[in-house]
Amino acid sequence: MTADLLAEYEISTDTARIDPALVHQWLSEDAYWARDRSREKQDQAIASSLNFGVYERSSGRQLGYARVVTDLADFAWLCDVYICPEARGKGLGTALVTAVRDHLAPYKLRRIMLATADAHGVYAKVGFAPLQKPDWWMSLGGR
């Protein structure tokens, strides 16, 4: 994060600071990929993932969220990246994804994956790129 962002905001992996009700509200009401996710499923996802929260330093208010599903050995899936509408446009999304990337760097994972319909530019700033061989990848279920 830039010095200006660091002065106003912080990113933490402390799951105890995550507001599960707020995260569920954000994702179930405003995120195209999670609109049908129940609170129970969201709570299970939080409990089983590496979580990142973005917080306003002055108030401690949570402004963003991301989670990573990983074995911390070879692979990670970055998902549920969300910045609340009133905090968008300040670079917090890029800062959050950068923090995730930097947090995972010491593990020397072979691959960190994600899916996005509309935020390619945010992820490209941090080094993500389209799959080189998309015909190698398959999925079971999902959209």
Side-chain angles (χ1 to χ4, degrees), residues 9 22 26 61-63 82-90 92:
Y9 307 100
L22 180 61
W26 285 339
R61 184 171 71 113
Q62 187 173 349
L63 302 172
Y82 187 89
I83 300 296
C84 69
E86 63 268 20
R88 292 178 187 161
K90 300 176 182 181
L92 291 174

Side-chain angles (χ1 to χ4, degrees), residues 27 68 142:
L27 297 179
V68 177

Side-chain angles (χ1 to χ4, degrees), residues 20-97:
L22 180 61
V23 169
H24 180 258
Q25 178 185 348
W26 285 339
L27 297 179
S28 67
E29 294 178 8
D30 192 39
Y32 65 85
W33 66 89
R35 285 201 179 110
D36 58 351
R37 190 179 302 159
S38 70
R39 172 68 193 269
E40 177 183 43
K41 284 284 188 186
Q42 185 61 52
D43 288 350
Q44 183 180 5
I46 290 170
S48 301
S49 300
L50 173 60
N51 299 278
F52 293 77
V54 179
Y55 305 92
E56 193 173 58
R57 283 193 186 275
S58 61
S59 67
R61 184 171 71 113
Q62 187 173 349
L63 302 172
Y65 176 75
R67 69 184 180 93
V68 177
V69 180
T70 183
D71 57 14
L72 295 176
D74 193 54
F75 181 81
W77 179 261
L78 172 59
C79 51
D80 291 344
V81 178
Y82 187 89
I83 300 296
C84 69
E86 63 268 20
R88 292 178 187 161
K90 300 176 182 181
L92 291 174
T94 301
L96 177 57
V97 176

